[in-house]
């Protein structure tokens, strides 16, 4: 699908297949989605789901912006903002694993809690801050013509892929998605790895919130809106089935690039934003239908 889209937009726009557009627009604008999609991949690999990813992005970004603007913490605010994401991810995981509550319901509730908390602490207003050093972390160029945000995203992608491939946590994540009962009988500490997936998800969303705030030197309670649908679409289109155990973060980037190319191409063709939302919705349904393993439909959570 990615190759087909690139061929179509190359034929219809003379700007699309240029270095500046591919790196400065497609990749740059896809990196926040990449963080969030990587975050959502691990719970889905375990046959769970994290619906609170967008709210965690907003809450982490708002926390970081407030610490910079109101408390003058400077760079120290960045790791604290990421830790906010880690903390709420831990809460999600504990309630889900120890409370034996379906992840869908837990994160649907926490989506509202985290979003409401961001609204409460900001009063519904944006939180601007003035810190050129923090902004350079996102839009600066350590490598000429390649924004730092792109480097952050690609480095994180490699690290997360290695976690999935080379670590015990990654192997057990796949095992839980394939058959949780067998993994339990084999002595795997199921709850520990379930919680770990949500901690990792929260951490990556916290990183996304911090870098998004750094890029725009501001944060708003709704800055993560739209990322939930797009991240699930990217995960599924990348090849990670909602039935778990198949795919992984190394493939999620393909779905992210499909959405990035599709959005960029539609912008170049001046397609209305409302129409873009409709097209994206159809793409999601198509991708889910193509990836669903119907033999496992009875155990979808």
């Amino acid at each position: 699908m990615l190759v087909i889209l690139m061929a179509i937009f190359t034929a219809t726009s003379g700007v699309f297949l240029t270095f500046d557009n591919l790196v400065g627009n497609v990749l740059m604008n896809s990196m926040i989605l990449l963080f969030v999609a990587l975050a959502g991949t691990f719970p889905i690999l375990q046959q769970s789901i994290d619906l609170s990813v967008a709210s965690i992005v907003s809450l982490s970004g708002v926390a970081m912006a407030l610490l910079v603007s109101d408390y003058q913490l400077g760079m120290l605010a960045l790791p604290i903002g990421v830790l906010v994401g880690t903390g709420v991810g831990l809460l999600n995981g504990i309630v889900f694993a120890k409370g034996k509550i379906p992840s869908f319901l837990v994160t649907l509730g926490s989506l509202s809690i985290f979003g409401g908390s961001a609204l409460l602490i900001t009063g519904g207003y944006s939180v601007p801050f003035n810190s050129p050093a923090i902004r350079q972390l996102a839009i600066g160029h350590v490598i000429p013509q390649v924004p730092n945000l792109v480097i952050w995203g690609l480095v994180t992608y490699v690290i997360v892929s290695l976690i999935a491939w080379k670590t015990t946590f990654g192997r057990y994540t796949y095992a839980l998605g394939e058959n949780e009962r067998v993994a339990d009988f084999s002595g795997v500490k199921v709850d520990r790895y379930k919680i770990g997936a949500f901690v990792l998800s929260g951490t990556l969303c916290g990183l996304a919130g911090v870098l998004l705030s750094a890029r725009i030197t501001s944060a708003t309670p709704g800055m993560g809106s739209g990322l939930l649908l797009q991240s699930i679409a990217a995960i599924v289109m990348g090849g990670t089935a909602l039935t778990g155990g198949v795919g992984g973060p190394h493939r999620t980037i393909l779905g992210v690039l499909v959405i990035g190319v599709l959005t960029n191409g539609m912008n170049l063709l001046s397609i209305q934003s409302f129409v873009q939302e409709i097209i994206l919705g159809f793409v999601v349904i198509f991708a889910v239908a193509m990836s669903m393993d119907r033999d496992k439909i009875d155990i979808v959570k």
Side-chain angles (χ1 to χ4, degrees):
M1 182 178 289
L2 180 60
V3 174
I4 293 173
L5 288 174
M6 292 189 69
I8 291 173
F9 293 130
T10 299
T12 54
S13 172
V15 178
F16 176 76
L17 201 62
T18 61
F19 181 85
D20 287 344
N21 183 57
L22 292 179
V23 176
N25 291 325
V26 176
L27 285 182
M28 182 70 170
N29 294 330
S30 299
M31 288 300 103
I32 298 301
L33 175 59
L34 177 61
F35 284 111
V36 179
L38 291 174
T41 300
F42 283 89
I44 287 179
L45 272 177
Q46 294 183 351
Q47 287 191 31
S48 304
I49 195 166
D50 188 349
L51 298 179
S52 65
V53 288
S55 293
I56 297 176
V57 170
S58 298
L59 184 61
S60 300
V62 163
M64 189 276 277
L66 281 172
L67 291 172
V68 175
S69 65
D70 292 1
Y71 297 94
Q72 307 300 318
L73 289 188
M75 288 290 186
L76 183 59
L78 275 69
I80 296 176
V82 175
L83 287 175
V84 169
T86 304
V88 297
L90 177 62
L91 289 176
N92 272 340
I94 291 174
V95 175
F96 160 56
K98 298 298 183 182
K100 308 300 180 187
I101 302 173
S103 58
F104 171 82
L105 295 176
V106 172
T107 55
L108 186 62
S110 61
L111 176 156
S112 179
I113 294 170
F114 302 153
S117 298
L119 282 168
L120 181 64
I121 61 179
T122 63
Y125 297 102
S126 64
V127 184
F129 60 88
N130 182 21
S131 176
I134 291 177
R135 190 162 189 253
Q136 284 300 309
L137 286 175
I139 67 168
H141 297 79
V142 172
I143 299 175
Q145 296 186 304
V146 179
N148 289 342
L149 184 58
V150 174
I151 299 172
W152 279 104
L154 296 180
V155 169
T156 302
Y157 164 72
V158 172
I159 293 173
V160 171
S161 296
L162 289 175
I163 290 174
W165 287 341
K166 301 295 184 182
T167 68
T168 302
F169 171 76
R171 289 193 292 273
Y172 284 161
T173 294
Y174 280 96
L176 291 179
E178 291 173 356
N179 195 317
E180 181 179 323
R181 188 179 297 275
V182 170
D184 190 20
F185 288 157
S186 300
V188 175
K189 296 185 182 301
V190 172
D191 287 353
R192 176 186 299 177
Y193 291 101
K194 282 183 172 180
I195 293 172
F198 281 88
V199 170
L200 181 57
S201 177
T203 301
L204 290 171
C205 288
L207 185 57
V210 165
L211 289 173
L212 180 57
S213 293
R215 180 183 181 183
I216 61 178
T217 58
S218 176
T220 66
M223 63 190 290
S225 62
L227 287 171
L228 174 59
L229 174 62
Q230 291 192 0
S231 63
I232 293 175
I235 293 166
V236 174
M237 283 190 289
T240 299
L242 294 175
T243 46
V246 176
H250 63 291
R251 300 182 62 167
T252 295
I253 195 171
L254 295 175
V256 171
L257 291 177
V258 167
I259 293 176
V261 167
L262 181 62
T263 303
N264 178 257
M266 289 192 293
N267 286 333
L268 291 175
L269 296 178
S270 301
I271 296 176
Q272 291 184 0
S273 60
F274 302 135
V275 178
Q276 292 186 24
E277 292 293 328
I278 294 172
I279 294 174
L280 179 60
F282 277 114
V283 170
V284 173
I285 295 172
F286 176 75
V288 172
M290 293 297 292
S291 68
M292 182 70 72
D293 183 355
R294 289 166 178 77
D295 292 336
K296 299 173 68 178
I297 195 71
D298 290 339
I299 59 171
V300 173
K301 296 180 181 177

